[in-house]
Amino acid sequence: MTLPHINVATLQVAGVVSFYMSAALVMVFVNKAVLSNSPDLPLLFLLVQLIIAVVLLHISAGIFKRVEIPRFNWVVAKKLVPVVLVNIIGLVFNTLCLRGVEASYFQIARGLQLPLTILVSAIHTQSVPSAKTIAATVLVSIGFFVGVAPSSSLPLTATPTLITLFYGILSSLFIALHAVLIKSSLPHCENSTIQLAWWTNVGSAVFLIPFVIFNGELQLLRDKMVEGSWNGTVFAWGCLVTGLFGFMLCVAGLLSIKVTSPVTHMFSSAARSVLQTLLGVMIFSDILTVNRVSSILVILGGTMYYTWVKSSEFKPPPSNLGHDLESNPRFATLDKADNESKAVQG
């Protein structure tokens, strides 16, 4: 009996995406627990995560020879300012959005990730998406608007505010921009996802420190510790756990984009929504309504339809693919112009 041929590249992509999805799920729920415990320290919480990720990168470099920490270079730093700024802005809006919504509602609040990523990619490559791709984005967008529609069956405490939904839209936009900018930033880091992760975390921490100080969060932390009524255990352990998984997620996210594409990266984010919803109900007793369930199903249906559209548009791979999987059209899920122009390849 002949065993079916296993494509190593396919397994690599599947492994990276699965790793990314698992780390992302842990991050969402631990982040939500900490933000519920300390809602007035969001930026400080994010800063500690970034610092822990940088420390872990240096520890990994001391243990594994393949993990190389780049030397500081002003020329490289200036070239990476756009990707670093977009990254930290997206993280801040992401944190503020998660603070104000239920864990199971989080993917609805950021339901425009896929449509915005396709839009940003199309503008970046100066190409027009196919009619089927546009139909998929419209379907996902409808799912988002169904989920954010007001519902009289929800208690006031479970209803997200307009500013929180606005944070979710901005988070989706900046994550879409970041996913595309990574492709053009990798060459400045010797095409190394680890080096880019170091630059991104260090740069994001540097940009975030002044805002933590100006927002008065260091003073708030001091006051909480002096008063003695605040239980800082959740905050401390949450920082450690999310710092660890944030490090894993950063590397996993960068690898996901490098071996696939920005849009496939966003699809893997959307695909975990069912698990996230179930866990949200089980852990935080989140409230599910017909609108919310319908929204999640429509968003998933749109992303699945998009995947089917892209699978039907695959081209036979060229004879010389090079070392980067993105150069293989089988794993390039942007429009055909993305494969031809290589404008966003790492």
Side-chain angles (χ1 to χ4, degrees), residues 96-222:
L96 295 176
C97 177
L98 180 58
R99 183 183 64 176
V101 301
E102 296 177 337
S104 62
Y105 190 83
F106 187 49
Q107 70 269 17
I108 298 176
R110 297 194 312 160
L112 292 180
Q113 271 194 36
L114 185 63
L116 288 174
T117 302
I118 294 173
L119 176 62
V120 171
S121 298
I123 294 174
H124 182 70
T125 58
Q126 297 182 351
S127 61
V128 178
S130 66
K132 291 181 179 179
T133 297
I134 295 175
T137 62
V138 170
L139 186 58
V140 172
S141 300
I142 290 174
F144 167 78
F145 288 111
V146 168
V148 301
S151 175
S152 58
S153 61
L154 280 174
L156 188 60
T157 54
T159 303
T161 62
L162 290 177
I163 188 63
T164 300
L165 293 177
F166 184 60
Y167 288 151
I169 294 173
L170 289 178
S171 171
S172 300
L173 175 61
F174 280 96
I175 290 175
L177 290 169
H178 183 249
V180 173
L181 282 175
I182 285 176
K183 287 293 185 176
S184 58
S185 300
L186 277 170
H188 303 311
C189 306
E190 300 178 6
N191 208 36
S192 168
T193 56
I194 299 297
Q195 291 191 27
L196 182 56
W198 184 88
W199 280 108
T200 299
N201 282 283
V202 170
S204 297
V206 170
F207 281 121
L208 190 58
I209 288 174
F211 292 95
V212 172
I213 297 173
F214 294 148
N215 199 39
E217 294 190 19
L218 291 178
Q219 184 62 38
L220 280 173
L221 178 63
R222 179 181 176 278

Side-chain angles (χ1 to χ4, degrees), residues 1 13 20 44 48 71 75 91 98 134 136 156 259 279 294 303:
M1 178 178 179
V13 172
Y20 168 78
L44 179 61
V48 174
R71 293 183 179 181
V75 176
L91 286 175
L98 180 58
I134 295 175
L156 188 60
V259 303
L279 290 173
S294 300
T303 52

Side-chain angles (χ1 to χ4, degrees), residues 4 22 47 49 136-137 171 214 232 292:
S22 300
L47 176 62
Q49 289 181 1
T137 62
S171 171
F214 294 148
R292 292 187 175 186

Side-chain angles (χ1 to χ4, degrees), residues 3-44:
L3 295 175
H5 175 70
I6 300 177
N7 190 306
V8 177
T10 301
L11 290 178
Q12 183 179 359
V13 172
V16 169
V17 172
S18 299
F19 176 43
Y20 168 78
M21 290 172 61
S22 300
L25 279 172
V26 173
M27 281 293 290
V28 167
F29 286 100
V30 178
N31 270 327
K32 182 58 183 177
V34 175
L35 291 171
S36 298
N37 173 260
S38 306
D40 49 356
L41 300 175
L43 300 184
L44 179 61

Side-chain angles (χ1 to χ4, degrees), residues 29-336:
F29 286 100
V30 178
N31 270 327
K32 182 58 183 177
V34 175
L35 291 171
S36 298
N37 173 260
S38 306
D40 49 356
L41 300 175
L43 300 184
L44 179 61
F45 177 47
L46 181 56
L47 176 62
V48 174
Q49 289 181 1
L50 293 169
I51 293 174
I52 292 176
V54 173
V55 172
L56 289 174
L57 277 171
H58 281 271
I59 293 175
S60 300
I63 299 175
F64 305 104
K65 294 182 179 180
R66 295 187 64 180
V67 179
E68 183 180 354
I69 302 298
R71 293 183 179 181
F72 185 81
N73 186 311
W74 275 111
V75 176
V76 175
K78 291 179 181 178
K79 292 179 179 178
L80 294 178
V81 165
V83 72
V84 171
L85 278 176
V86 168
N87 176 71
I88 189 58
I89 293 173
L91 286 175
V92 169
F93 285 131
N94 190 68
T95 302
L96 295 176
C97 177
L98 180 58
R99 183 183 64 176
V101 301
E102 296 177 337
S104 62
Y105 190 83
F106 187 49
Q107 70 269 17
I108 298 176
R110 297 194 312 160
L112 292 180
Q113 271 194 36
L114 185 63
L116 288 174
T117 302
I118 294 173
L119 176 62
V120 171
S121 298
I123 294 174
H124 182 70
T125 58
Q126 297 182 351
S127 61
V128 178
S130 66
K132 291 181 179 179
T133 297
I134 295 175
T137 62
V138 170
L139 186 58
V140 172
S141 300
I142 290 174
F144 167 78
F145 288 111
V146 168
V148 301
S151 175
S152 58
S153 61
L154 280 174
L156 188 60
T157 54
T159 303
T161 62
L162 290 177
I163 188 63
T164 300
L165 293 177
F166 184 60
Y167 288 151
I169 294 173
L170 289 178
S171 171
S172 300
L173 175 61
F174 280 96
I175 290 175
L177 290 169
H178 183 249
V180 173
L181 282 175
I182 285 176
K183 287 293 185 176
S184 58
S185 300
L186 277 170
H188 303 311
C189 306
E190 300 178 6
N191 208 36
S192 168
T193 56
I194 299 297
Q195 291 191 27
L196 182 56
W198 184 88
W199 280 108
T200 299
N201 282 283
V202 170
S204 297
V206 170
F207 281 121
L208 190 58
I209 288 174
F211 292 95
V212 172
I213 297 173
F214 294 148
N215 199 39
E217 294 190 19
L218 291 178
Q219 184 62 38
L220 280 173
L221 178 63
R222 179 181 176 278
D223 293 342
K224 286 176 177 290
M225 296 176 67
V226 171
E227 290 172 2
S229 59
W230 177 60
N231 182 7
T233 303
V234 175
F235 185 82
W237 279 106
C239 286
L240 290 174
V241 173
T242 55
L244 173 61
F245 277 89
F247 163 73
M248 296 170 61
L249 183 60
C250 181
V251 175
L254 291 172
L255 286 173
S256 176
I257 293 173
K258 184 179 179 182
V259 303
T260 55
S261 76
V263 176
T264 303
H265 173 69
M266 291 304 129
F267 170 72
S268 65
S269 299
R272 70 177 188 270
S273 60
V274 172
L275 276 177
Q276 189 168 311
T277 301
L278 295 175
L279 290 173
V281 174
M282 294 170 58
I283 297 173
F284 294 106
S285 300
D286 291 351
I287 300 174
L288 287 182
T289 64
V290 174
N291 274 23
R292 292 187 175 186
V293 173
S294 300
S295 172
I296 293 170
L297 291 177
V298 173
I299 291 174
L300 281 177
T303 52
M304 291 173 65
Y305 174 67
Y306 174 82
T307 305
W308 175 80
V309 168
K310 286 305 168 183
S311 68
S312 65
E313 294 178 356
F314 284 153
K315 293 180 179 180
S319 57
N320 185 15
L321 297 178
H323 70 283
D324 192 347
L325 290 180
E326 180 62 17
S327 61
N328 186 339
R330 180 174 294 276
F331 301 102
T333 58
L334 295 178
D335 286 329
K336 298 177 182 178

